[in-house]
Amino acid sequence: MKKHQRISILLTCLLLALPLQTAVTEPLQINAAEALPAGGITTTVSDSRFIDAGWMNQNIILTLDGQVWAMGINMMKDYPVFLSNDLGVPQCILGDTAVLDVFLNAINEQLKAQVFQSDSPIFDTGTGSYIYNSGQTYYQLNANVKNWLITTLQQQFIAGTPQPITLDLTSGYLTSIVNEGVLTYSPDFVLAGSCTTSFSTSSSNRINNIKVAAGHLNNMIIMPGQEVSVSTAILPRTSANGYREAGAYLNGETVMAIGGGICQVSSTVYNAVKNAGLVVLERHPHSMPVHYLPLGLDAAISSGSKDLRFRNNYSAPVILQAYTEGKKLTINVLVWNHDLNGRTFKLWAKNTGSLSAKTYFTTYQDGQEVSTEYVGNSSYMAPKPKKTEAEDE
């Protein structure tokens, strides 16, 4: 990427929130372990009885190739925080992180405009194994950035000396998005996991939503150790991002909602990544059965409450393919065959009733079963009569 020697301060409100250095006072010396009441307390980030007031004068600073983005931590001053002192170990849990989402989304909007021509290899062993992403490319922050910020803030609020929270956006925190170009890879990146689901009875709006969401996942490169949030990757479900109103589940009923149908994408991804041996970190069943997959094999997502998150634990990048053909959605996962080393995987489920199922994960070595793990139980409510013609997710 061309280096931009400039400073980008995102959003006027964030700029105004940066503390003035002349206003910095001597930070309070707080022994949180002694001050916290038994059983813990729910308060706010700016409660100087338990969190050093000096944090209100500090910033979160992200850097990338000479660019700097900053947000005053005082933007979080009224956010709820739970503090506890179990067994003499102070702990902190943030109850709201919406301002971080605004900050990171604003950075992503700027990065989206910084398109560059990429011809460098994403992966190249020098011995014939490679992945090249050639074309008009831009970066987006991935879920690792927010996870790191939340973890660091929680740890530092309760135990650390007030100081800037800084993060250099190295490759593990970025996902490359190709607008126009060709992804090429060596033949030893093989199809390790796949899933195809049908949307033959779906409305045009629901089909549109599936295609939009799949388009954001197609040709995604998942680096070793990288975590992916499907909810984040497919972008907020808004009309500005191309989503339309279609059927979705809400409290056991089918209602109309912007982005209805995207759970078919997350569910199809769930099966494909598990069948490829990737590690699933978060998965939720729907409230009611879905029509496109058996019980126990679906994966619901809902902004702010449910997500499908997975991680690449292999030594090489993984390629995610997502596309529609006819009335079907297909998700493929390509893995370096040296990482597979003769292993294959299968996610499957067994019904334990008309509205419940147990899910299992089997590993094979050279075609022979070596282990079967219990993944979990999924329970569903009986479908209620539809008040509209909307489909479920």
Side-chain angles (χ1 to χ4, degrees):
M1 171 185 269
K2 181 186 297 182
K3 292 186 179 293
H4 302 268
Q5 301 299 326
R6 62 186 179 82
I7 295 179
S8 302
I9 303 298
L10 301 181
L11 303 180
T12 302
C13 64
L14 297 181
L15 176 61
L16 294 177
L18 295 179
L20 298 175
Q21 293 303 312
T22 56
V24 176
T25 58
E26 189 68 23
L28 299 177
Q29 298 300 316
I30 296 175
N31 189 332
E34 296 178 359
L36 288 172
I41 186 173
T42 298
T43 180
T44 62
V45 171
S46 60
D47 188 344
S48 59
R49 295 174 300 166
F50 307 110
I51 297 178
D52 197 315
W55 283 111
M56 294 298 97
N57 300 310
Q58 300 300 328
N59 303 321
I60 295 172
I61 301 172
L62 306 185
T63 62
L64 173 65
D65 289 343
Q67 299 179 90
V68 179
W69 296 274
M71 185 194 87
I73 292 178
N74 60 351
M75 289 290 292
M76 305 176 69
K77 63 185 178 68
D78 296 324
Y79 278 23
V81 61
F82 176 73
L83 304 172
S84 65
N85 185 24
D86 294 337
L87 302 177
V89 180
Q91 296 184 17
C92 168
I93 299 175
L94 292 174
D96 195 337
T97 58
V99 71
L100 290 180
D101 292 328
V102 173
F103 180 51
L104 299 179
N105 287 340
I107 295 175
N108 273 336
E109 284 301 309
Q110 288 198 0
L111 292 177
K112 189 182 295 184
Q114 298 177 14
V115 178
F116 59 95
Q117 186 70 30
S118 172
D119 294 310
S120 60
I122 295 172
F123 175 77
D124 193 343
T125 64
T127 58
S129 297
Y130 61 85
I131 300 176
Y132 283 87
N133 207 2
S134 177
Q136 294 296 313
T137 304
Y138 62 91
Y139 289 127
Q140 292 286 270
L141 308 183
N142 60 42
N144 291 345
V145 178
K146 184 178 179 181
N147 292 341
W148 185 89
L149 288 176
I150 292 174
T151 299
T152 301
L153 287 168
Q154 291 177 160
Q155 292 173 344
Q156 293 297 312
F157 279 162
I158 198 70
T161 300
Q163 59 187 303
I165 302 297
T166 61
L167 177 63
D168 183 25
L169 297 171
T170 54
S171 60
Y173 297 103
L174 300 169
T175 297
S176 299
I177 308 296
V178 179
N179 283 330
E180 300 175 4
V182 178
L183 183 70
T184 58
Y185 48 87
S186 54
D188 51 5
F189 279 86
V190 297
L191 181 61
S194 182
C195 183
T196 298
T197 56
S198 172
F199 50 83
S200 59
T201 61
S202 295
S203 67
S204 60
N205 278 5
R206 189 175 187 278
I207 293 173
N208 169 81
N209 295 339
I210 290 173
K211 290 182 176 180
V212 170
H216 291 301
L217 298 174
N218 190 40
N219 284 340
M220 176 182 285
I221 306 298
I222 307 164
M223 302 302 290
Q226 180 182 338
E227 296 180 6
V228 174
S229 159
V230 172
S231 184
T232 300
I234 64 176
L235 302 186
R237 271 72 78 193
T238 64
S239 56
N241 285 332
Y243 291 101
R244 300 174 184 171
E245 194 172 68
Y249 285 169
L250 178 64
N251 299 325
E253 293 184 342
T254 302
V255 300
M256 299 300 289
I258 297 293
I262 47 89
C263 283
Q264 181 162 348
V265 178
S266 59
S267 296
T268 310
V269 169
Y270 173 53
N271 286 262
V273 298
K274 284 294 289 184
N275 289 335
L278 274 67
V279 177
V280 171
L281 304 170
E282 179 183 353
R283 172 262 174 184
H284 303 272
H286 284 78
S287 57
M288 299 183 293
V290 298
H291 67 275
Y292 45 81
L293 279 168
L295 300 180
L297 297 182
D298 58 310
I301 58 176
S302 178
S303 297
S305 60
K306 296 179 180 179
D307 198 357
L308 173 67
R309 296 187 302 114
F310 59 91
R311 182 175 62 228
N312 173 17
N313 274 6
Y314 291 123
S315 67
V318 165
I319 303 169
L320 196 69
Q321 298 174 333
Y323 60 91
T324 60
E325 192 171 50
K327 295 287 187 177
K328 293 182 178 181
L329 165 70
T330 296
I331 306 293
N332 292 331
V333 182
L334 307 184
V335 177
W336 193 30
N337 63 6
H338 294 277
D339 279 333
L340 292 171
N341 195 28
R343 291 177 300 162
T344 54
F345 312 94
K346 181 180 180 181
L347 181 71
W348 56 281
K350 181 179 180 180
N351 287 3
T352 54
S354 60
L355 292 171
S356 62
K358 290 184 176 180
T359 306
Y360 299 89
F361 179 68
T362 300
T363 301
Y364 303 87
Q365 180 67 53
D366 299 320
Q368 299 297 315
E369 180 179 338
V370 295
S371 67
T372 293
E373 304 172 15
Y374 171 65
V375 175
N377 182 70
S378 299
S379 298
Y380 306 84
M381 295 185 291
K384 296 182 180 180
K386 292 183 179 180
K387 296 180 180 180
T388 69
E389 294 301 315
E391 304 87 11
D392 55 32
E393 286 199 342

